[in-house]
Amino acid sequence: MRRHRWLAVAFVVLSMTAAACGDSDDDSTVGGGQSTATTVSKPAFAAGTTMANLQAKGKLVIGTKFNQLGSGLKNPTNGQLEGFDIEIGKLIGVGIFGGTVDSLGSKVEFKEAVSAVREAVIQSGDVDLVIATYTINTARKTQVDFAGPYIVDGQDIMVKTDNTTIKTIADLNGKKVCTGEGSTTPANLTAKQVNADLTLFKTYPECAEALRQGRVEAVVTDRGILVGLVDASSRGFKLVGVNVSEEPLGIGLKKGDDAFRAFLNDRLDAIIASGEWKAAYEKTLGKLGLPTPTAPKPDRYAGTGTATTLAATTTVPPSTTTTR
Amino acid sequence: MDVVFDNLDLFLRGIRTTVSLTLTSYVVAFVIGMVVASFRVSPVPPLRLVGSFYVNTVRNTPLAVLMVLFFFALPDVGILYSAYISAIIVLSAYTGSFIAETIRAGINSVAKGQAEAARALGLTYPQVLRIVILPQALRAVIAPLGSIFIALIKNSALANLISVTELSGTAERLINDTAQPIPLFIAAALAYLVLTIPSGILLGRIERRFAIKR
């Protein structure tokens, strides 16, 4: 009898320890912090759909960027994930699990997905969705499907604050220009008949460093990324303020899952209508000084079957099929 | 596989960069290796200290860290080289530390009596090393020096970290443009084999020709 009591005590202590440690693994889970959430009752999905499976599993895994201020950033001081992509991810989570953004807890898990691996992690099932400043384009649509766009970003030029020579896109001709590997910047510049000397790095902070050191004269990529770099440069950099391209950013998911895609588009419509989309923008990218844009309408294109089938239909005009 | 054949010119340019990075770095690394190895076996204690400090710091730091540090951190103290030159400097310094240790092993394999005899004949220490020890030492370590060469071919892929578009960087960029990782990675792997396997065969020939047969 006595032995059993000790076992019971040991069990209680162990389970408390386990509970305390449960969330301390490296994969960041959603943290609280805001209390403006709208409560959604737990939705019911048809059996066998991806939504029903995720709800039953109690876990939605989202690939995102961990190094982009305003969009997806793992805050170095507290380890929390912050940004517009993160907020959209949580709101999608609410659409699957119900409740509020704050009540999600660890049901929505974010994993880092750098530009070059985004198709791969979707196809392998490592993540259920990719929300990582992911431009919708024709080439990518042959590998994955996209819900959204949930926002239309654009590309701009970032230069040193004292630069007076680069004022237009044409001024980039013959200049050393930095962008990220996997970016659509090279194609965008070609489309604008600009012949720049390109330097490519894995991440944009490296481009910023190269700009600071004078290795390159300009950095060209999506405005959402550049704003973060300007903000971190303590007035060392500025945006030129031109539209190099328009980037419709979408939510990447496994090719051919049309029911899941339709659900995601419905959810985007819902959060835009309820004002949650606007609130999410204002507390992330809006805080960096960007005016809140009009929310785009999700593009409900016809499904094109499984991966590697060439997409026959696309509603993205050719001139915008080129970005990071 | 179309995506590979359509971009054959880019692949060839990538292979050329890999080859030129490897060959240049190996030559420089060999010189560094010879000098550092002589330091490490030198009778002068400060030289030994410098030699072992070099080997222990450079050899024990990951190449990727050295590469990024050299490229991004040194400009802040006024040292700014182009990406290609930076890659060669870092690859040479890193590979040099391995070559130094290999040559030192070769030197240690030469019987001690030979150095003593050479000294007794009146040769100076550098002469002993150059005329008596090193020719025998190098012939004893041709195989490991060849392995280091092959490792360097593959290590040169890290130059991609600092924006030198060599073979693996070419593959990565094409993957980003076309979203077709599998054929492109296979092509890159095959291209590395085309470089490494003949190198191995050639090194085997050199070894059979020059190695000491006992």
Side-chain angles (χ1 to χ4, degrees):
Chain A
M1 220 28 214
R2 176 172 287 172
R3 178 138 52 121
H4 283 175
R5 194 178 299 159
W6 275 110
L7 275 176
V9 170
F11 179 73
V12 169
V13 170
L14 270 177
S15 49
M16 280 164 71
T17 319
C21 299
D23 277 345
S24 63
D25 57 334
D26 198 42
D27 292 327
S28 304
T29 45
V30 174
Q34 62 281 87
S35 51
T36 54
T38 314
T39 307
V40 175
S41 52
K42 187 173 173 178
F45 298 109
T49 58
T50 309
M51 297 79 84
N53 293 343
L54 291 170
Q55 196 184 51
K57 200 166 55 161
K59 189 130 212 143
L60 170 70
V61 184
I62 299 176
T64 191
K65 293 188 179 169
F66 278 13
N67 60 355
Q68 262 161 39
L69 184 65
S71 299
L73 179 78
K74 188 163 189 172
N75 188 321
T77 53
N78 59 16
Q80 292 280 322
L81 287 167
E82 303 167 347
F84 187 61
D85 288 352
I86 306 296
E87 295 305 318
I88 295 293
K90 291 181 193 171
L91 290 168
I92 299 291
V94 170
I96 292 174
F97 302 115
T100 67
V101 165
D102 294 333
S103 72
L104 283 172
S106 58
K107 282 181 192 155
V108 177
E109 181 187 313
F110 290 95
K111 277 192 178 173
E112 183 167 21
V114 298
S115 296
V117 304
R118 288 176 298 195
E119 292 84 18
V121 291
I122 292 173
Q123 289 172 349
S124 70
D126 261 5
V127 302
D128 302 307
L129 297 172
V130 164
I131 310 180
T133 57
Y134 199 6
T135 303
I136 303 172
N137 70 29
T138 320
R140 287 172 181 166
K141 273 189 184 170
T142 66
Q143 303 290 317
V144 298
D145 265 329
F146 287 99
Y150 59 95
I151 191 162
V152 178
D153 197 356
Q155 290 202 323
D156 204 332
I157 305 170
M158 179 173 80
V159 293
K160 279 190 179 173
T161 310
D162 56 11
N163 183 306
T164 52
T165 55
I166 297 174
K167 292 202 183 77
T168 65
I169 301 169
D171 291 338
L172 293 174
N173 255 313
K175 296 276 166 46
K176 286 195 167 176
V177 173
C178 190
T179 190
E181 272 181 22
S183 159
T184 49
T185 303
N188 288 339
L189 292 178
T190 311
K192 302 261 178 190
Q193 266 102 51
V194 171
N195 191 7
D197 180 2
L198 288 171
T199 301
L200 281 78
F201 288 111
K202 298 235 182 261
T203 66
Y204 286 98
E206 289 173 306
C207 273
E209 196 58 24
L211 177 63
R212 192 176 64 80
Q213 294 171 349
R215 291 184 188 274
V216 297
E217 282 182 81
V219 179
V220 178
T221 190
D222 303 34
R223 193 168 289 117
I225 296 176
L226 294 179
V227 161
L229 297 173
V230 168
D231 186 73
S233 73
S234 49
R235 295 174 197 280
F237 306 144
K238 64 177 181 189
L239 292 188
V240 173
V242 293
N243 260 331
V244 181
S245 76
E246 289 211 325
E247 310 286 342
L249 304 187
I251 301 175
L253 68 151
K254 207 166 243 174
K255 182 96 186 145
D257 195 345
D258 290 345
F260 193 26
R261 186 156 58 90
F263 159 78
L264 292 170
N265 283 329
D266 290 346
R267 181 67 190 147
L268 286 175
D269 277 339
I271 62 169
I272 290 166
S274 70
E276 289 165 287
W277 185 92
K278 187 163 177 279
Y281 190 92
E282 281 167 357
K283 75 175 186 187
T284 54
L285 291 165
K287 274 205 182 139
L288 298 171
L290 289 175
T292 308
T294 345
K297 274 213 83 59
D299 168 18
R300 296 163 187 273
Y301 60 90
T304 52
T306 49
T308 73
T309 310
L310 277 173
T313 51
T314 170
T315 46
V316 181
S319 61
T320 66
T321 56
T322 51
T323 302
R324 73 198 138 131
Chain B
M1 257 355 224
D2 281 355
V3 64
V4 176
F5 294 113
D6 291 348
N7 295 294
L8 215 53
D9 53 330
L10 288 177
F11 260 103
L12 289 176
R13 201 186 308 161
I15 291 173
R16 256 207 309 278
T17 309
T18 291
V19 169
S20 74
L21 273 178
T22 306
L23 291 180
T24 319
S25 304
Y26 197 75
V27 170
V28 179
F30 201 85
V31 174
I32 294 176
M34 291 278 243
V35 171
V36 174
S38 342
F39 279 15
R40 291 215 66 181
V41 298
S42 149
V44 186
L47 287 185
R48 283 209 299 275
L49 203 70
V50 170
S52 62
F53 178 78
Y54 180 85
V55 167
N56 285 321
T57 47
V58 177
R59 191 176 62 156
N60 294 330
T61 312
L63 179 55
V65 174
L66 287 177
M67 196 71 91
V68 172
L69 261 187
F70 187 89
F71 187 73
F72 282 113
L74 289 191
D76 286 349
V77 293
I79 304 170
L80 192 141
Y81 290 106
S82 76
Y84 182 77
I85 300 292
S86 303
I88 286 189
I89 293 175
V90 174
L91 284 171
S92 307
Y94 182 78
T95 309
S97 68
F98 285 89
I99 292 183
E101 283 301 274
T102 305
I103 294 179
R104 189 172 68 97
I107 292 173
N108 289 341
S109 77
V110 178
K112 213 175 171 188
Q114 298 216 15
E116 286 164 357
R119 290 290 278 167
L121 288 171
L123 299 185
T124 64
Y125 179 73
Q127 281 177 326
V128 173
L129 216 50
R130 189 166 49 82
I131 301 169
V132 180
I133 309 286
L134 278 179
Q136 302 183 71
L138 288 178
R139 289 165 73 184
V141 293
I142 291 173
L145 287 177
S147 300
I148 292 175
F149 180 77
I150 288 171
L152 175 60
I153 295 178
K154 295 177 287 175
N155 284 343
S156 70
L158 287 175
N160 183 39
L161 286 177
I162 57 170
S163 79
V164 178
T165 313
E166 38 61 70
L167 179 50
S168 70
T170 307
E172 273 186 39
R173 279 174 204 192
L174 287 172
I175 288 166
N176 285 324
D177 291 348
T178 62
Q180 295 187 51
I182 294 165
L184 289 163
F185 273 135
I186 290 175
L190 288 177
Y192 274 110
L193 289 178
V194 164
L195 295 178
T196 49
I197 291 177
S199 306
I201 294 171
L202 183 70
L203 288 160
R205 292 241 171 97
I206 294 175
E207 195 184 342
R208 278 194 293 283
R209 170 84 179 70
F210 291 105
I212 304 164
K213 294 185 187 69
R214 288 200 171 101

